[in-house]
Amino acid sequence: MTYGFDTLAIHAGQEPEARTGSVVPPIYQTSTYAQDAVGAPREGYEYSRSGNPTRDALQECLRALEGGQRALTFASGLAAEDTLLRALCRPGDHVLIPDDAYGGTFRLFSKVAEKWGIDWTAAPLGDLDAVRAAFRPDHTRLIWAETPTNPLLGIADIAALATLAHEYDGMLVVDNTFASPYLQQPIAHGADVVVHSTTKYLGGHSDVVGGALIAAAAGIGEDLAFHQNAMGAVNGPFDAWLTLRGIRTLGVRMDRHCRNAERVVEYLAQHEAVAQVLYPGLESHPGHETAAKQMSAYGGMISFRAAGGPEQAVRICNSTKVFTLAESLGGVESLIEHPGQMTHLSAAGSPLEVPADLVRLSVGIESVDDLLADLEQALG
Ligand SMILES: *Cc1c(COP(=O)(O)O)cnc(C)c1O
């Protein structure tokens, strides 16, 4: 029996608890477990860095939602990325990253991994010829894609990048944070590992930081599980429980995020204070056709460029009342930010610097008329 996405979100890894029938998986807030005899831990649980039933419930749910063989969860998205990088790469390896990668991912490669001998190139991953030109057949271990990207909403063709990476025995990693598995499942298109900041849409309520890796193949999954335990960047039981609580409503939340975002895009596109709207659902977006092929809808993230330049962009960010001025994204509440001075400040002066007139919106699930009225007064 195969279940639909929303059934899996509510039930995968979440059988009623055996002793009491508790419908919600308990928070196993423990560091260690009593053993029945030396060398005989109950159901394999011996220490919570190595295994915890609440974390296991979350991991199994994410595995099912992304259609992988194994899922591992971490203290943050970047902890997941660091674990993945060190599990898969060795000194001398080369990695291709998007030329508008999430700022924290760029910082991890340029300021941390590089010191350990891992080389990287930032390339426009939406342009396959450019990717092929930047690919070093003997050294490129990973293509590290984000689609849509943060904050420019660029789109990369997952199936085409997977084919290219595999041609040279490389692997394709996809950061699926912006789409969430509800809108896009990269493993079905050939990705080897999916990365998430579960802080965003999966958690969905801006109340917990976390990350996840989902492996398409059991062997890589096992390697990642070894590194999760050996490196120790696990999430705690309460954080795992909160994330799982968020995931149960992912489908209904995403439907509303997408619907509200479409209305906001429509509004911004006709406004004279807006020079350009970046949203993969727009037919004018260069990645629209690819997005339509691999996503079921276009998500709740929108960026736009202020016609009045950087000062106006900052003024808009400082003027909204329903949209909260804050970093992060993917929660039920709408957020606004200035990437150049906030989330992507660490990319300033690099090839990944973002335009200073850019404003990023995380469209929440509030009443859409209130969102439009708020933008109206802020843009006016
Ligand atoms: C937030 C984010 C991350 C990092 O995740 P944290 O949970 O903040 O460590 C990685 N990738 C993308 C696309 C993100 O938006």
Side-chain angles (χ1 to χ4, degrees), residues 61 325 334:
C61 185
L325 177 66
S334 292

Side-chain angles (χ1 to χ4, degrees), residues 76-79 81 102 105 146 150 175 177-178 197-200 209-211 329:
S76 69
L78 280 171
E81 294 188 20
Y102 167 66
T105 300
E146 252 180 72
N150 180 2
D175 182 335
T177 298
F178 263 38
S197 168
T198 58
T199 313
K200 315 295 168 56
V209 172
L329 59 108

Side-chain angles (χ1 to χ4, degrees), residues 247-311:
I247 288 174
R248 291 187 202 113
T249 55
L250 179 65
V252 290
R253 283 188 286 111
M254 290 313 294
D255 284 342
R256 176 67 78 88
H257 282 297
C258 292
R259 192 142 42 92
N260 281 0
E262 276 170 32
R263 291 282 304 280
V264 170
V265 165
E266 217 171 88
Y267 170 79
L268 292 174
Q270 53 78 45
H271 203 291
E272 60 188 16
V274 175
Q276 189 190 5
V277 182
L278 308 177
Y279 187 68
L282 286 170
E283 276 175 32
S284 59
H285 187 290
H288 177 69
E289 266 180 48
T290 304
K293 189 179 72 171
Q294 64 195 20
M295 300 177 80
S296 58
Y298 305 102
M301 296 302 298
I302 302 166
S303 291
F304 68 90
R305 301 184 71 164
E311 298 76 28

